[in-house]
Amino acid sequence: MDAQSSTTIRVKHKRKVKSKWNMRRNWPLHFFLLPAVILAFVFSYAPLPGIIMAFMDFKPYLGFSESPWVGLEQFKRMIEFEDAKQVIWNTLIISAMKIILNLIVPIVFAILLNEVRKLLFKRTIQTLVYLPYFLSWVILGGIMLDMLSVDGGIVNNFLTSVFGIDPIFFLGDGDWFRFTAVGTDVWKEFGYSAIVFLAALAGINPDLYEAATIDGANRFQQVIHITLPSLLPITIVVATLALGNVLNAGFDQIFNLYNPLVYDKGDIIDTFVYREGLLGGQFSFATAVGLFKSFIGMILIITGYKLAHKYAGYRIF
Amino acid sequence: MHYKSTSYTVFTICNYIFLGFLGIICILPLIHILAVSFSGSAPANANLVTFFPIEFTLDAWEKTLGNERFLRSLWNGIFRTALGTFISLSCMILAAYSLSKEDHEFKGRKVYVYFFIFIMLFNGGLIPTYILIQNLNLINTIWALVLPSAINVFNMILLLNFFRTGVPKTLEEAAFIDGAGHFRILFSIYLPISLPAIATIGLFTMVGQWNSWFDGLIYLSDANKYPLSTFLQTVIVQQDLSQMNVDASEMKNLSERTSKSAQIFIGALPILLVYPFLQKYFVKGIVLGSVKE
């Protein structure tokens, strides 16, 4: 009886606290959200109606009310226009390579770093490899243009003097450009991307390794049978979330590295939209291409989250 | 046992060498650019400089720091970063506090959550956003740089998760029963307890604002208002000096290889300066924000 009454009291007390929360009204909570909501509304929601220009032949001097409607004409142009097809293809190739390598390299790096027992060494390496992530592509682009230059860049100098090969047009040849874009992106991101994998590695139960050692498994076998399976859930999360970026090949990077010589193989959707749209004045066409990209991207992100939730119990918010 | 086997020892040695190599190639480009900036222009132009300055001179740094245009954009960049970080951080702290409440404590939370998730998924795109900024008469003002970038939903989620895991619920309830309102609870309990988290997100925001260059390129028509990142983008990367309206000798000063290197390094400097503080917290933040459900 005693126990029962004390439970009732506790429940009553809880209810009292709860009602107090709501009684005092939550107006400050709404008030706190106001600035963020206004900013998000003005700069993220207000531009949305402007998307209708994708179905128009928008001319700035005519405005939204006078510009003629053209239906799906702009999208049709996108599909028929050779350049646009090539651009979508470039985007897919570059981003697919980035997604795959930005998954494999950090995992391998994390596993190798996890084998290091000297803490000072480990921390020093971590400090060094996280750094490039925080530098912008303007800075890195400036450095790469200098270092990868055919005309005496340090990389070509090194390759010529050590291997005796001709200078490579890293940024001037289409195929090399794709390779350079993917390589420099992996260089910039791999350390930072490894953080979640390192955290997952630290969370593996040491008993598993101990048991495996007693059973006679060597370190390599332990990695195959314990480490890799333990990394699977977080790998699924990272891979599915990366899916949303299939049409994002990295505007900041490409824009700061490319030049007209490599437009055929290095131009991606975002750089194309910028040049055709803002610089070339084809507002409607660029918006249509952008809308196509956003739409596919949104579907992929939602699918990615759904998959991550289903297979790895991932939840945001 | 296997730690003592020969093959594992060989692996360990190779592993240390390989990881050391990886660490070094992440920092070498910066060292190279620094070495070039301190070298004489003759060896720099003859591609003789690798990782140590040759014919050490402060010439390029003097030219760069004595250049009025460079200094102006440096100041613009600092001002933009300070203002942008202040606006962004204040808005995000307030919003994250509200969103960190449970659904039953804060009726209507779900609506706000979906409101913010939507902008992570979908946006108007480059041109509709540009037209909006134009219609708001923000072109060529600093507001076009700091306001659209203020709300970063991802950082807001990180902050929210920090609030949820870092602040003991019992402490908050006790304060509430003692008669404290949301204002008191946020400013006297949440802020002091979450200071490391707020510092982390603050540094992230700072880095983002400092690195941001594209908004300056499209929203500012007056090159004198360019923040440093945008300035570097036009001068160093695009090598487009047409908008700068500079005379020939000044142009030569800016575009010399050693001066370019000095400018690039100064552009990276603020990041390098905050990096030790940043690193102290971001690892924890990333893990909390992404792995925690």
Side-chain angles (χ1 to χ4, degrees):
Chain A
M1 188 216 143
D2 252 332
Q4 207 181 357
S5 68
S6 82
T7 334
T8 353
I9 289 167
R10 201 176 296 149
V11 168
K12 258 191 192 157
H13 178 69
K14 241 192 183 163
R15 206 171 282 155
K16 220 171 157 188
V17 172
K18 216 197 249 178
S19 66
K20 225 177 180 181
W21 270 103
N22 287 331
M23 233 167 51
R24 257 178 191 264
R25 289 197 305 148
N26 282 327
W27 70 265
L29 295 180
H30 295 283
F31 179 72
F32 288 160
L33 278 160
L34 201 60
V37 166
I38 290 174
L39 283 173
F41 182 79
V42 172
F43 295 105
S44 298
Y45 281 83
L48 291 180
I51 290 176
I52 54 163
M53 74 166 71
F55 306 97
M56 293 174 141
D57 185 13
F58 182 80
K59 297 272 182 285
Y61 57 89
L62 292 175
F64 281 103
S65 49
E66 304 283 320
S67 295
W69 290 92
V70 295
L72 295 174
E73 197 59 39
Q74 307 288 1
F75 294 91
K76 224 173 109 193
R77 246 184 88 199
M78 179 181 85
I79 296 169
E80 285 163 1
F81 192 34
E82 272 312 309
D83 281 7
K85 256 193 275 182
Q86 182 63 37
V87 161
I88 293 172
W89 180 235
N90 292 343
T91 310
L92 285 175
I93 288 192
I94 293 176
S95 73
M97 287 197 292
K98 279 184 182 175
I99 288 174
I100 294 169
L101 285 173
N102 274 328
L103 200 61
I104 295 174
V105 177
I107 291 178
V108 172
F109 171 72
I111 291 176
L112 290 179
L113 194 68
N114 199 44
E115 294 298 316
V116 170
R117 305 270 158 249
K118 300 232 180 324
L119 270 186
L120 183 68
F121 181 80
K122 196 172 176 177
R123 239 177 262 142
T124 312
I125 297 296
Q126 278 172 306
T127 304
L128 293 176
V129 298
Y130 297 158
L131 181 63
Y133 174 83
F134 293 97
L135 298 170
S136 77
W137 273 115
V138 171
I139 303 291
L140 294 178
I143 297 179
M144 297 294 167
L145 288 181
D146 182 273
M147 288 182 58
L148 298 175
S149 151
V150 182
D151 181 24
I154 188 173
V155 175
N156 271 320
N157 269 3
F158 175 79
L159 292 175
T160 312
S161 61
V162 175
F163 299 106
I165 52 175
D166 288 337
I168 295 170
F169 286 74
F170 285 109
L171 298 168
D173 174 85
D175 293 310
W176 273 107
F177 180 81
R178 284 180 183 166
F179 171 82
T180 311
V182 173
T184 52
D185 189 66
V186 171
W187 170 78
K188 184 179 194 282
E189 308 276 332
F190 83 92
Y192 193 78
S193 314
I195 293 176
V196 286
F197 296 111
L198 284 168
L201 287 172
I204 299 175
N205 187 351
D207 292 353
L208 291 173
Y209 291 115
E210 224 164 88
T213 312
I214 292 166
D215 288 345
N218 65 29
R219 196 64 194 164
F220 183 69
Q221 288 168 321
Q222 290 178 17
V223 167
I224 299 290
H225 295 289
I226 300 172
T227 312
L228 286 181
S230 309
L231 286 180
L232 196 62
I234 185 69
T235 308
I236 291 175
V237 170
V238 175
T240 46
L241 297 188
L243 212 62
N245 281 327
V246 161
L247 294 183
N248 268 334
F251 175 80
D252 280 21
Q253 181 200 22
I254 303 292
F255 190 75
N256 283 308
L257 290 181
Y258 81 163
N259 57 67
L261 286 177
V262 294
Y263 279 175
D264 59 332
K265 295 202 170 155
D267 199 15
I268 58 168
I269 296 178
D270 291 325
T271 48
F272 179 76
V273 167
Y274 172 73
R275 281 203 327 276
E276 294 292 314
L278 264 189
L279 299 184
Q282 304 197 49
F283 299 111
S284 287
F285 179 58
T287 304
V289 179
L291 179 63
F292 162 79
K293 189 200 143 203
S294 280
F295 187 69
I296 305 275
M298 186 171 73
I299 292 173
L300 288 172
I301 290 173
I302 293 175
T303 318
Y305 275 108
K306 285 247 158 78
L307 288 174
H309 182 70
K310 192 172 168 198
Y311 292 105
Y314 177 83
R315 188 171 76 98
I316 115 170
F317 267 104
Chain B
M1 275 168 287
H2 56 260
Y3 292 123
K4 287 178 188 127
S5 73
T6 336
S7 58
Y8 192 76
T9 314
V10 172
F11 163 77
T12 305
I13 293 169
C14 294
N15 194 22
Y16 274 65
I17 293 171
F18 178 68
L19 291 175
F21 171 74
L22 277 187
I24 286 172
I25 60 168
C26 285
I27 193 83
L28 274 190
L30 278 174
I31 295 177
H32 173 63
I33 223 78
L34 189 63
V36 171
S37 77
F38 282 123
S39 297
S41 22
N45 291 333
N47 310 315
L48 297 173
V49 184
T50 49
F51 304 116
F52 295 99
I54 295 177
E55 294 176 16
F56 183 89
T57 167
L58 291 173
D59 207 32
W61 283 74
E62 273 166 17
K63 266 187 214 156
T64 303
L65 292 176
N67 186 299
E68 203 188 315
R69 263 160 228 286
F70 182 82
L71 287 182
R72 195 181 300 142
S73 63
L74 180 64
W75 164 247
N76 290 343
I78 294 171
F79 182 64
R80 180 246 157 100
T81 305
L83 183 68
T85 307
F86 173 75
I87 294 176
S88 177
L89 202 56
S90 327
C91 292
M92 289 198 299
I93 289 173
L94 291 173
Y97 170 78
S98 294
L99 295 178
S100 73
K101 301 285 164 248
E102 297 296 333
D103 284 339
H104 66 84
E105 291 169 350
F106 177 28
K107 291 222 170 63
R109 175 184 175 273
K110 271 242 155 74
V111 179
Y112 288 112
V113 167
Y114 285 119
F115 178 85
F116 287 115
I117 285 187
F118 179 78
I119 65 172
M120 265 179 119
L121 295 176
F122 205 77
N123 60 64
L126 183 64
I127 290 151
T129 310
Y130 181 83
I131 290 176
L132 177 93
I133 303 270
Q134 206 172 29
N135 289 340
L136 292 173
N137 279 327
L138 294 180
I139 295 289
N140 221 9
T141 67
I142 191 164
W143 305 111
L145 308 186
V146 294
L147 294 181
S149 60
I151 304 302
N152 179 324
V153 181
F154 184 73
N155 282 347
M156 220 158 81
I157 295 175
L158 280 180
L159 207 50
L160 179 165
N161 278 337
F162 273 126
F163 283 161
R164 283 201 164 167
T165 51
V167 182
K169 204 78 193 163
T170 44
L171 195 63
E172 184 183 343
E173 268 167 23
F176 209 82
I177 289 165
D178 287 346
H182 285 297
F183 282 91
R184 279 289 297 275
I185 292 178
L186 171 59
F187 289 102
S188 313
I189 297 179
Y190 272 71
L191 288 193
I193 291 182
S194 317
L195 216 53
I198 290 168
T200 313
I201 304 295
L203 287 171
F204 267 113
T205 311
M206 255 173 71
V207 171
Q209 291 282 338
W210 177 260
N211 281 345
S212 171
W213 54 276
F214 186 62
D215 44 7
L217 191 64
I218 58 175
Y219 297 140
L220 301 178
S221 44
D222 178 4
N224 284 327
K225 293 185 176 168
Y226 278 178
L228 189 62
S229 294
T230 311
F231 176 84
L232 291 178
Q233 210 280 329
T234 36
V235 173
I236 310 277
V237 180
Q238 283 183 353
Q239 302 179 358
D240 171 14
L241 293 153
S242 56
Q243 299 188 43
M244 291 289 161
N245 169 28
V246 285
D247 57 69
S249 68
E250 202 181 350
M251 188 160 128
K252 192 167 161 280
N253 278 350
L254 280 175
S255 57
E256 217 166 292
R257 194 171 177 193
T258 50
S259 324
K260 269 188 189 172
S261 302
Q263 293 174 58
I264 290 175
F265 195 81
I266 295 173
L269 200 57
I271 309 285
L272 299 178
L273 290 178
V274 300
Y275 183 63
F277 304 98
L278 192 62
Q279 205 211 351
K280 204 167 146 197
Y281 299 115
F282 73 74
V283 173
K284 216 173 133 203
I286 294 301
V287 174
L288 253 185
S290 56
V291 180
K292 202 211 130 260
E293 57 115 48

